[in-house]
Amino acid sequence: MNWKAYGKWLRENFSYNYSKDLLNYSKRFSYVLFSGEASSLHRLSGSVRRMAMASLSNLSKFLGVHGKWKRIVEAYGLKWSSGKAEDFLLSRMANTKDADSILDWVRQVKAKIPQLSLFMNFMLLTGLRLKEAVNSWNLIVDLAEAGRLSEYYDREKEVLEHYKFKKVFIRRSKKVFVSFVPERLIEEISKQGKLTIYQINNWVRRDNKLKSRFGDLREFWATFMTRYLTTAEIDFLQGRVGASIFMRNYFNPALITDLKERVFKGLAELQSRL
C-alpha cells in the first residue's frame, strides 16, 4: 500500500487536518477493506465508527475497489449513524438550556477577548463554520489590502460571494456559497489583521470558564433565522444543497427577490440582542 500517494490524494480533496485524520484511520482500519472482515467496527463508539467508515470509503475509492467496500457495508449491516434523528434532537435540547446562553457566551468572549470582538460579530451574523469564517476574514483582509475586494464582496448586494473561490469554500463535504453581510462590517474587517484557527482557540482556552461554542453559534443562527427565512433558504446560506430533491433540482436563490431584505431584518434583530 502506497500510503504516501494516498496521503497526497487526501490532501488534494480535503482540508489538511481532516485528511490527516483520514490517513491515520485508514492505516488503523485498512485490514477491514483488505480482509473483508468488518465485525470489529460494530464494537466501536458511534463517532469512531463513522470516522473509520469514512476513511475506508475514501481508501476504497483511491484503490478503485469502492464496490467491494459497499458490499462489506451491506453484508455487515454497518450504519453511518448510531442513532435516530429524534435522538440527536433530544440531545441538543438537553445540552442547550436556552438561546440566550449562546448570546451570553458571545458577550463573554467579546468582553474577555477584545481582539475577537469584531470576529464574533462576523460569526454571529453569517452563521459560518469556524474554518469558513477564518478563511473569509483573511480573504477580506488580503483582497482589501490589494485593492481587489470587489472580486469577493458585492457592495450593491452586500453579499460575500464565496463561490468565486471554489478551492477555499467549495469543499467535498462542506460548502458555503454566499453570505449577506452589512457593508460597514466588511469595511471594519478590511482594516484588521489576519487570524488563524489555532490563535482563536488558544485565546478562548486561556480562560477556563470559556468553552468553545462556535458550533453552537452556527446552530443558533440557523434556528434563529427561521423567523425570517424558509428551511431551504437557511440550508442554501449554510451550504447544505444536496439534502433533498427540492434543493438539488428546484431551489434557485436568484428567483428570491426579497432574500437579502429578510436576511438583514434577522441580522438587525440579532445585533440588537447583543
Side-chain angles (χ1 to χ4, degrees):
M1 176 64 206
N2 189 338
W3 293 112
K4 186 176 181 180
Y6 175 56
K8 180 181 179 182
W9 179 82
L10 287 173
R11 290 191 296 275
E12 290 173 349
N13 289 279
F14 301 100
S15 68
Y16 174 78
N17 288 331
Y18 187 54
S19 63
K20 186 177 180 180
D21 288 339
L22 286 174
L23 178 60
N24 289 335
Y25 273 82
S26 293
K27 290 180 178 179
R28 177 180 172 186
F29 294 101
S30 59
Y31 69 87
V32 171
L33 185 62
F34 298 144
S35 68
E37 166 58 48
S39 59
S40 59
L41 297 185
H42 285 295
R43 296 190 289 272
L44 302 174
S45 66
S47 59
V48 175
R49 183 173 65 254
R50 284 193 296 275
M51 194 64 196
M53 290 179 66
S55 67
L56 289 171
S57 178
N58 280 287
L59 180 59
S60 69
K61 291 175 183 177
F62 175 75
L63 294 174
V65 293
H66 192 55
K68 178 181 179 180
W69 165 243
K70 289 195 290 186
R71 289 192 293 274
I72 292 173
V73 171
E74 183 178 358
Y76 283 85
L78 295 170
K79 303 293 183 183
W80 289 89
S81 174
S82 59
K84 299 178 180 179
E86 56 266 29
D87 294 330
F88 293 111
L89 177 60
L90 291 173
S91 176
R92 287 197 195 100
M93 292 171 65
N95 291 329
T96 303
K97 295 180 179 178
D98 56 69
D100 286 335
S101 69
I102 305 297
L103 293 177
D104 285 339
W105 176 74
V106 173
R107 295 186 192 101
Q108 289 178 43
V109 173
K110 285 164 64 72
K112 295 182 178 182
I113 314 173
Q115 59 269 42
L116 279 184
S117 183
L118 192 61
F119 180 76
M120 295 306 296
N121 289 345
F122 184 57
M123 283 212 67
L124 178 67
L125 296 185
T126 59
L128 292 171
R129 301 174 180 88
L130 177 58
K131 181 173 183 177
E132 293 167 347
V134 170
N135 286 340
S136 180
W137 175 285
N138 291 338
L139 189 55
I140 292 169
V141 173
D142 281 340
L143 292 176
E145 185 177 345
R148 297 164 46 209
L149 186 55
S150 60
E151 295 177 16
Y152 183 33
Y153 184 67
D154 187 321
R155 294 179 184 274
E156 182 180 348
K157 297 178 181 177
E158 293 187 275
V159 63
L160 285 168
E161 298 173 318
H162 309 301
Y163 66 87
K164 290 183 177 179
F165 299 85
K166 292 183 179 180
K167 290 185 178 180
V168 180
F169 298 107
I170 312 298
R171 294 175 287 167
R172 174 177 274 185
S173 58
K174 293 181 175 64
K175 305 172 179 64
V176 62
F177 304 101
V178 300
S179 295
F180 289 97
V181 185
E183 184 177 355
R184 63 182 179 279
L185 179 56
I186 298 298
E187 287 295 332
E188 290 183 74
I189 294 173
S190 67
K191 301 172 185 176
Q192 307 301 311
K194 294 171 70 173
L195 295 169
T196 67
I197 293 178
Y198 173 80
Q199 188 179 39
I200 292 168
N201 285 328
N202 193 40
W203 282 334
V204 173
R205 291 192 188 108
R206 283 179 184 175
D207 193 310
N208 294 328
K209 295 181 180 180
L210 284 178
K211 294 182 179 180
S212 179
R213 300 191 63 181
F214 293 107
D216 292 340
L217 187 57
R218 174 177 166 82
E219 179 183 308
F220 168 76
W221 186 94
T223 303
F224 180 86
M225 293 301 286
T226 58
R227 305 179 187 192
Y228 300 92
L229 306 175
T230 66
T231 301
E233 290 166 346
I234 291 171
D235 284 344
F236 166 67
L237 291 173
Q238 291 202 320
R240 293 184 295 272
V241 170
S244 67
I245 293 175
F246 171 72
M247 287 298 292
R248 286 197 301 268
N249 301 308
Y250 301 110
F251 181 72
N252 186 346
L255 300 177
I256 307 173
T257 56
D258 66 335
L259 181 58
K260 172 190 170 181
E261 179 183 347
R262 287 183 287 114
V263 169
F264 272 55
K265 283 182 179 179
L267 300 189
E269 184 178 346
L270 272 176
Q271 288 179 303
S272 68
R273 294 183 63 174
L274 273 183

